Amino acid sequence: MTTHLRSEASAIEALRSERYKATSRRIAICRIVLNSRTRPLAQQVYDEVKKIHPTVSLATVYKTLEVLRDIDLVQEINFPKGQACFDSYMTPHMNLICLKCGAITALDDKTIKKITTKVIVSTKFKPTEQQMDIYGICQKCSNTK
Amino acid sequence: MTTHLRSEASAIEALRSERYKATSRRIAICRIVLNSRTRPLAQQVYDEVKKIHPTVSLATVYKTLEVLRDIDLVQEINFPKGQACFDSYMTPHMNLICLKCGAITALDDKTIKKITTKVIVSTKFKPTEQQMDIYGICQKCSNTK
DNA sequence: TTACCTGCAAACGTTTTGCAACTGA
DNA sequence: TCAGTTGCAAAACGTTTGCAGGTAA
């Protein structure tokens, strides 16, 4: 697990530099998403913000998450049934997901860089490096069977 | 683009071997998804099926696509706003998904093999090679901005 | 002061569900 | 025969939108 790269303060700066106002709602939402170790759904972010700002609306959460996505503070990951979760760029982002036990492991930076380079060279496609999900069987499950 | 690996006939077999009935609706939906060069949305599959079975319902299309996904004949790719498209396993399966325009490109076999090897060596994790989604920005969109 | 942000409620589009009728094996 | 499948309609779901009032800069 890498350490957080972006503090709440720099997130506020990022907002301002893109001419977005740093309102209490946005600061709260930033704090929640940036400090989350899980990748929260919009609804979960909403539930958290409500603890601090009980009158906040879900619409504000969605609008803010869109802003945060636009200025690259978070990334949206889409799931079946139309749900999306939000991933701040603080955690490693190339995940190995075991189809048997569901374990999620992150690739180390070196491997990510190598893979990214390979993809860029052969396709001119630029991976975000923040979103690469590889499904397969983990070592543990390989041994079991 | 590789050639199709699985024929309609073997798809029907796959259905039967998993104790699903090979009904006319399912066969039609299989044919459409398996022969599609694009990755159709559920609605697009529905539009196609209707040409053959005008009374088919969208619910049946959804239920069938779920079955096909369960028996690994197709893969679901989720997009923002709750839309999903369906990818038959006939095409290579390491997809590059552009976060701007939504274009989906497949990696060639050579690149897939290299990446797979890299992952296996550094983590002992065994990718299925059928499910690896890499998100980023395609060449076209890179140039635009 | 003013452009931007917010909360509310209604709308939206995709997907899911319940159920009675139907059908493949 | 009968469990599994279908079409229909309605519901559910997450998300988006329009707007009047509020707020940061």
Side-chain angles (χ1 to χ4, degrees):
Chain A
M1 184 74 83
T2 58
T3 50
H4 286 206
L5 298 173
R6 198 185 273 276
S7 67
E8 182 189 323
S10 79
I12 293 174
E13 251 176 64
L15 276 169
R16 293 216 168 106
S17 74
E18 300 274 349
R19 291 182 204 158
Y20 287 108
K21 288 182 184 165
T23 65
S24 63
R25 304 298 189 259
R26 285 182 178 157
I27 293 171
I29 292 168
C30 272
R31 180 178 298 141
I32 287 158
V33 179
L34 268 54
N35 290 328
S36 177
R37 292 193 159 271
T38 66
R39 274 159 255 245
L41 302 170
Q43 180 68 51
Q44 293 171 327
V45 175
Y46 174 57
D47 291 340
E48 283 303 307
V49 190
K50 264 203 299 197
K51 293 179 186 168
I52 306 156
H53 299 284
T55 64
V56 77
S57 74
L58 192 51
T60 298
V61 171
Y62 276 108
K63 284 169 188 167
T64 301
L65 288 171
E66 194 187 342
V67 167
L68 299 185
R69 192 188 55 203
D70 285 351
I71 63 177
D72 272 341
L73 281 178
V74 302
Q75 182 189 9
E76 186 178 342
I77 300 175
N78 300 112
F79 285 105
K81 316 201 184 200
Q83 276 193 134
C85 72
F86 295 84
D87 186 5
S88 68
Y89 283 4
M90 278 73 251
T91 47
H93 287 86
M94 198 173 296
N95 294 315
L96 305 176
I97 302 161
C98 181
L99 291 167
K100 280 211 173 151
C101 67
I104 301 180
T105 326
L107 279 179
D108 62 273
D109 288 352
K110 233 186 197 168
T111 311
I112 293 175
K113 279 273 169 284
K114 280 184 184 167
I115 290 177
T116 304
T117 305
K118 212 157 269 315
V119 170
I120 293 173
V121 168
S122 63
T123 62
K124 312 263 193 278
F125 181 92
K126 202 153 183 283
T128 59
E129 290 185 20
Q130 274 83 28
Q131 207 168 346
M132 244 180 105
D133 296 330
I134 302 177
Y135 296 82
I137 307 297
C138 70
Q139 190 180 9
K140 217 171 169 181
C141 289
S142 284
N143 293 340
T144 310
K145 198 189 170 181
Chain B
M1 186 75 82
T2 58
T3 50
H4 288 206
L5 298 173
R6 198 187 272 275
S7 67
E8 183 189 322
S10 79
I12 293 173
E13 252 177 65
L15 276 170
R16 292 216 169 106
S17 75
E18 302 274 349
R19 291 182 201 160
Y20 287 109
K21 288 183 186 167
T23 64
S24 63
R25 306 298 190 256
R26 286 184 177 155
I27 293 171
I29 292 167
C30 271
R31 180 179 296 141
I32 287 158
V33 178
L34 268 54
N35 290 327
S36 176
R37 290 193 158 272
T38 66
R39 273 155 258 248
L41 302 169
Q43 180 67 49
Q44 292 171 328
V45 175
Y46 174 58
D47 292 340
E48 283 303 307
V49 191
K50 264 203 299 198
K51 291 179 187 169
I52 305 155
H53 299 286
T55 63
V56 78
S57 74
L58 191 50
T60 298
V61 172
Y62 276 107
K63 285 170 188 166
T64 301
L65 289 171
E66 194 187 343
V67 167
L68 298 185
R69 192 190 52 202
D70 285 351
I71 63 177
D72 271 341
L73 281 177
V74 303
Q75 183 190 6
E76 186 178 343
I77 300 175
N78 299 292
F79 286 104
K81 313 204 185 202
Q83 272 191 333
C85 73
F86 295 85
D87 183 9
S88 70
Y89 282 4
M90 279 69 252
T91 48
H93 286 86
M94 198 173 292
N95 294 316
L96 305 177
I97 302 164
C98 181
L99 291 167
K100 279 211 173 149
C101 68
I104 303 178
T105 326
L107 280 179
D108 62 89
D109 288 352
K110 232 184 196 169
T111 309
I112 293 175
K113 280 272 170 284
K114 280 184 185 167
I115 290 177
T116 304
T117 305
K118 213 157 271 313
V119 170
I120 293 173
V121 167
S122 63
T123 63
K124 312 262 193 276
F125 181 93
K126 205 154 181 277
T128 60
E129 289 185 22
Q130 271 84 27
Q131 213 170 339
M132 242 179 107
D133 298 329
I134 302 177
Y135 296 80
I137 306 297
C138 71
Q139 192 181 8
K140 217 170 169 181
C141 289
S142 285
N143 293 340
T144 311
K145 198 191 167 180

